[in-house]
Amino acid sequence: MLIQIAVAGGLVIAILLIGVIAGRTLGPRAEAEWKRRLGTQAEGIGGRLHRIIRHGTAALLLAILLNATRWPPLAGFPIGLALGAATAMTSVAILRGLAIPRWMAWTVASILFVALFSHAVGGLAPISETLERIGFDIGKRRFSLLSLITIVVTAIALYAGVRLINRLTAHWIAASRGLDATQKLLAQKLAAILVVVVAFFFGIDLLNIDLTAFAVFSGAFGLAVGFGLQKTVGNLIAGIILLMDRSIKPGDVIVVGESFGWVNRIGVRAVSVLTRDGKEHLIPNENLMTNEVENWSYTDRNVRVRIPLAVGYDSDLKLAQELMLRAATDSPRVLDSPKPNVWLTAFGGSGVEHEILAWISDPEGGVGSVRSDVLNRVWWLFKEHGIEIPFPQREVHIRRDVPSPDPRP
């Protein structure tokens, strides 16, 4: 007995050292390769690969050691303790790398530790029987504490698997050269929905849940969709339609009501529109389907900016128009083709009204800065050449020969 305990303890120490060596040697290489292949999607798991390899290698070798022969409970104690701890630390590293909440990760780790340690010392069966007795029956279905723990662990594992597959799928789609940005986004959304559906049915089969049990709730769920979730489902379908017909794409500059900005992201519920003020407007997808939307970059990113301006009636009109055209041409954001132009629009009450027409190709940068730059250049050119910019004036004439009114009633 003592010899078996000593042998088990020595093998456990050796395996733990092998895990440390594997983590230090293979970990940096695996992290570098992971980041090279997945890029930004490597965040999370990529920085924890050395721990995953260290604890995972130890857990794998300890599991082989535990099942290689029948160990007595005392000899299985150090093996089970090390196996449970290594498996728990591996699960925590993986789940936290997938941005799973800390309490979920440690819950799964605690359950795995207790289960593996109990199995190693021969106490798993009594624990399972005790947990199974704590519960109640509904028809032919038994709801116990053991089934609750199984459901929790399975749900967290499937959730982590969905997040991992979504990250890998998103990277694979983003790296595809045959799709544009909108098609990539649509493919990512559809792939995410497909992964969730597959995970749901896989979990149902894994937990051995009869699908006919959901028939009772189908009518209630239909009513919930018809009333409470109508807007949510409508926004989901509207978002998919927007991505399919490509009427609005990430990067487009749009105007919806009083919201002006460029599309930052098309989500399941809403479209994120980033304004020039740094504010992010979340507009429901359904609104973009039913309301009028101005898309400045739907087929062409070139946008014409109108800049109204007036000059005095006593000014040299031809020179003023040449200076306005030069101010627009010298502005860095104004395109050379199509060329800017100057139109005379009206003879106003205080001056000759013009409109400078300038084209830009970066509407996401806003049009206010273009107007400001052109008007500043016009101001200094007019000052230099003596062109007058009119402003409203009033002349009041006072007549002194008007007879005073008769004081008598």
Side-chain angles (χ1 to χ4, degrees), residues 44-368:
I45 285 186
R48 293 178 168 85
L49 273 180
H50 65 284
R51 279 180 281 179
I52 295 174
I53 292 175
R54 181 177 64 191
H55 299 305
T57 302
L60 179 61
L61 294 177
L62 287 168
I64 295 174
L65 176 63
L66 180 64
N67 293 280
T69 183
R70 293 178 60 87
W71 298 94
L74 289 178
F77 181 88
I79 301 176
L81 185 65
L83 176 60
T87 306
M89 296 305 297
T90 304
S91 65
V92 169
I94 294 175
L95 295 177
R96 292 297 294 156
L98 293 172
I100 303 298
R102 190 181 302 273
W103 69 269
M104 288 187 180
W106 282 106
T107 298
V108 173
S110 302
I111 294 172
L112 290 176
F113 175 80
V114 172
L116 293 173
F117 179 70
S118 302
H119 174 68
V121 298
L124 182 60
I127 294 177
S128 301
E129 293 175 0
T130 302
L131 294 176
E132 182 65 27
R133 285 197 299 266
I134 302 174
F136 53 91
D137 295 325
I138 298 180
K140 297 181 180 179
R141 185 72 180 177
R142 174 69 177 174
F143 291 93
S144 63
L145 192 56
L146 179 62
S147 63
L148 177 62
I149 293 175
T150 305
I151 291 173
V152 169
V153 173
T154 303
I156 296 176
L158 288 176
Y159 180 53
V162 167
R163 291 186 68 90
L164 177 61
I165 294 174
N166 281 340
R167 287 189 180 187
L168 298 177
T169 305
H171 172 75
W172 178 72
I173 294 174
S176 176
R177 299 181 179 180
L179 303 175
D180 58 21
T182 306
Q183 292 171 338
K184 290 179 181 178
L185 184 58
L186 176 60
Q188 290 173 357
K189 298 294 182 185
L190 295 178
I193 295 174
L194 179 62
V195 169
V196 171
V197 172
V198 171
F200 174 77
F201 285 105
F202 181 75
I204 293 296
D205 183 68
L206 192 64
L207 295 172
N208 197 22
I209 298 176
D210 190 2
L211 288 177
T212 57
F214 292 95
V216 179
F217 303 100
S218 60
F221 180 75
L223 290 176
V225 171
F227 292 99
L229 300 179
Q230 181 180 7
K231 291 293 183 181
T232 303
V233 176
N235 285 323
L236 172 63
I237 296 175
I240 295 176
I241 293 175
L242 288 175
L243 291 172
M244 291 181 64
D245 68 1
R246 304 174 64 187
S247 57
I248 295 176
K249 307 178 293 295
D252 282 354
V253 180
I254 65 173
V255 179
V256 184
E258 297 182 357
S259 299
F260 164 78
W262 60 93
V263 178
N264 184 32
R265 185 178 64 88
I266 300 179
V268 175
R269 187 190 67 84
V271 171
S272 170
V273 178
L274 192 62
T275 67
R276 290 288 299 164
D277 298 331
K279 299 177 182 178
E280 200 159 0
H281 294 184
L282 297 178
I283 304 174
N285 296 331
E286 203 172 15
N287 289 3
L288 299 178
M289 291 288 297
T290 57
N291 297 338
E292 182 178 347
V293 180
E294 228 179 275
N295 192 337
W296 288 17
S297 50
Y298 180 52
T299 56
D300 190 0
R301 294 189 59 81
N302 291 348
V303 175
R304 189 166 67 176
V305 182
R306 297 177 178 268
I307 308 173
L309 185 64
V311 298
Y313 280 100
D314 296 333
S315 303
D316 185 343
L317 203 60
K318 184 176 180 181
L319 176 61
Q321 292 173 351
E322 291 176 355
L323 295 177
M324 285 186 273
L325 188 60
R326 194 201 328 179
T329 305
D330 293 343
S331 184
R333 288 183 58 194
V334 175
L335 299 177
D336 296 330
S337 179
K339 295 182 178 179
N341 201 357
V342 176
W343 286 359
L344 192 154
T345 57
F347 296 104
S350 57
V352 184
E353 298 178 0
H354 291 78
E355 201 168 50
I356 303 175
L357 306 177
W359 290 86
I360 61 174
S361 61
D362 52 350
E364 64 275 4
V367 297

